[in-house]
Amino acid sequence: MADRSSKGRPARFDSKSQESPVSLPRNEKGGLLITEDELKIAWDFFDPNGKNKLTSADIKKRLSTFYKDISTREVKFLLNNQPEITFEELYGLLKDNQLTNFDPVKEAFKVYDPHNTGFVDMDMIKTFFKDLGYGDISDEDAKIILETADSDKDGRIGLDDFRMMVPFGQPMDDLTTIASAAGAAGSGGVGAGGND
């Protein structure tokens, strides 16, 4: 019953565009564009106390909420085999990446969909909030999260819904739409790109 949609079809086959390719913004080397603003959002998650340096312990502590079996070796790899890293060093490593076959939103979504149903598992949301120290989420709170995040109003949070919630890894078409809307509002295209 848990793997079926409200329409009676298996949930994994009911997700509209879970596997459709997404055209993501690219950097000058053809890799995934990572802006300082996007990276700062992720950095702040890993550095909640504002130390301006991350150690392997900092990274492992936060990632272990989502990846229970993350190894010290994997964490060291993320830190470029350094004992600690600053924001500037990390941005320097990532800005000229050559990642061509990677969708960060889709990868993040997999953590929220551990059973590969094509939809966020609300029990995972509750677990993450609790494990991160934000407390328990009531059923009413979970319902509000679902209603807010469910942009296509199908009663579930699929990859497309999830993509609309995160501030990074937005497809090129979405960035063009955002830029057009911002330009029409007289904001000069804020949100359409990084700092040049």
Side-chain angles (χ1 to χ4, degrees), residues 13-195:
F13 301 110
D14 200 32
S15 182
K16 293 179 205 108
S17 62
Q18 173 104 8
E19 296 301 322
S20 61
V22 176
S23 177
L24 298 172
R26 299 285 166 199
N27 63 28
E28 292 178 6
K29 294 190 175 185
L32 184 65
L33 177 66
I34 298 173
T35 67
E36 282 187 72
D37 292 339
E38 291 169 340
L39 187 58
K40 183 71 172 127
I41 291 167
W43 180 271
D44 289 345
F45 172 78
F46 288 100
D47 185 25
N49 299 324
K51 297 184 309 182
N52 296 319
K53 284 188 180 180
L54 294 176
T55 65
S56 9
D58 297 326
I59 301 285
K60 190 164 187 169
K61 178 180 178 185
R62 295 300 260 189
L63 282 182
S64 65
T65 297
F66 307 102
Y67 304 100
K68 300 294 183 202
D69 298 325
I70 191 163
S71 70
T72 301
R73 183 178 182 190
E74 290 169 311
V75 172
K76 283 183 178 180
F77 175 78
L78 293 172
L79 287 172
N80 201 30
N81 289 317
Q82 301 175 77
E84 60 187 23
I85 196 164
T86 66
F87 176 82
E88 291 76 19
E89 292 167 334
L90 182 60
Y91 182 65
L93 288 171
L94 296 176
K95 71 177 180 175
D96 292 328
N97 75 76
Q98 295 179 11
L99 295 170
T100 58
N101 208 12
F102 182 73
D103 181 348
V105 178
K106 188 174 181 179
E107 291 304 313
F109 182 80
K110 290 177 182 179
V111 174
Y112 293 89
D113 179 21
H115 305 295
N116 197 27
T117 64
F119 301 97
V120 168
D121 181 331
M122 290 307 289
D123 288 335
M124 292 305 299
I125 300 268
K126 290 178 179 183
T127 299
F128 294 156
F129 265 73
K130 188 172 186 169
D131 290 354
L132 289 169
Y134 299 130
D136 291 326
I137 294 181
S138 69
D139 289 338
E140 184 62 31
D141 291 338
K143 182 179 176 185
I144 291 169
I145 291 170
L146 176 63
E147 289 172 356
T148 303
D150 180 19
S151 62
D152 61 9
K153 304 301 177 204
D154 66 355
R156 301 162 300 185
I157 303 170
L159 178 59
D160 288 340
D161 300 318
F162 188 78
R163 193 175 295 286
M164 294 184 71
M165 295 182 339
V166 296
F168 60 86
Q170 296 300 317
M172 291 296 290
D173 291 344
D174 288 352
L175 290 175
T176 304
T177 303
I178 291 167
S180 298
S187 68
V190 173
N195 298 332

